[in-house]
Amino acid sequence: MVVKEMLGASSETDVDWVDARGMRAWRSLLQAHAHVTRVLEAELEAAHHLPLASYDVLVQLAEAPGRELRMSELAHAVLLSRSGLTRLVDRMEREGLVARRACPSDARGTLATLTPAGFDRLRDASGTHLKGVGRHVLSRFSRSEQELLAELLGRLDPQCAPSRDVRESA
């Protein structure tokens, strides 16, 4: 049954409806993301016993000024809820990959900091991850298609859109 029929909409003006082509694009995006995420996660787990979410936290911290971020900023960057991030950082702290400290500019805030052990773990795992991204994603597209893909997907989140410098240097 068509979604529109299921919801009982009476006309196109009731709601902005997605046609079959749009639904195919949407489902393809979701399925591709789920597939690639599962494959990359399995590779990181097998080679480094490191979940993809932990790898993402390590990357975000490594790229941050001073290799630290407020927990709220980190939660936003890795797309986890604050409570989900707290549980993940708890585990990573027990493993010695990150440390927490009070935010000097805000007594209510907490900073997550990348430890030397966390940086080493990231360095060890990054080859596996980047090769996987190349093999499972980038190899499926030409350089110009990669550029187009980045531009198209960047429209969904303007913060993710490639910068002019990146496009011009490719």
Side-chain angles (χ1 to χ4, degrees):
M1 182 178 281
V2 176
V3 173
K4 183 176 174 182
E5 292 170 356
M6 289 176 12
L7 298 176
S10 60
S11 74
E12 290 296 318
T13 58
D14 289 343
V15 178
D16 290 332
W17 289 101
V18 177
D19 63 13
R21 179 183 51 226
M23 284 306 298
R24 188 169 68 88
W26 170 242
R27 287 181 177 143
S28 293
L29 176 64
L30 292 177
Q31 289 168 343
H33 176 268
H35 170 73
V36 169
T37 301
R38 280 191 303 270
V39 170
L40 295 174
E41 170 104 37
E43 290 177 352
L44 278 174
E45 283 282 357
H48 305 282
H49 306 290
L50 186 68
L52 187 57
S54 297
Y55 179 85
D56 193 14
V57 166
L58 296 175
V59 168
Q60 297 301 324
L61 292 175
E63 293 178 347
R67 295 186 177 166
E68 63 185 10
L69 286 170
R70 291 176 62 106
M71 290 288 287
S72 58
E73 294 169 329
L74 185 56
H76 179 74
V78 297
L79 306 176
L80 288 173
S81 67
R82 288 184 190 198
S83 62
L85 178 67
T86 297
R87 288 188 299 274
L88 178 58
V89 169
D90 285 345
R91 287 192 303 272
M92 294 177 75
E93 194 172 28
R94 285 192 299 272
E95 294 177 45
L97 304 176
V98 299
R100 280 189 262 209
R101 67 182 185 92
C103 180
S105 61
D106 179 2
R108 298 171 299 162
T110 302
L111 297 172
T113 304
L114 183 64
T115 65
F119 186 77
D120 290 344
R121 188 86 177 272
L122 174 62
R123 187 177 38 227
D124 291 343
S126 64
T128 299
H129 182 70
L130 295 175
K131 285 177 189 172
V133 169
R135 186 172 48 257
H136 304 297
V137 180
L138 301 178
S139 69
R140 311 294 170 97
F141 302 100
S142 68
R143 303 278 277 160
S144 61
E145 288 172 329
Q146 291 173 26
E147 191 71 35
L148 179 59
L149 184 62
E151 184 178 323
L152 293 172
L153 293 175
R155 292 181 196 172
L156 300 179
D157 183 355
Q159 293 178 342
C160 294
S163 70
R164 167 173 246 134
D165 294 337
V166 170
R167 285 192 299 248
E168 289 174 356
S169 66

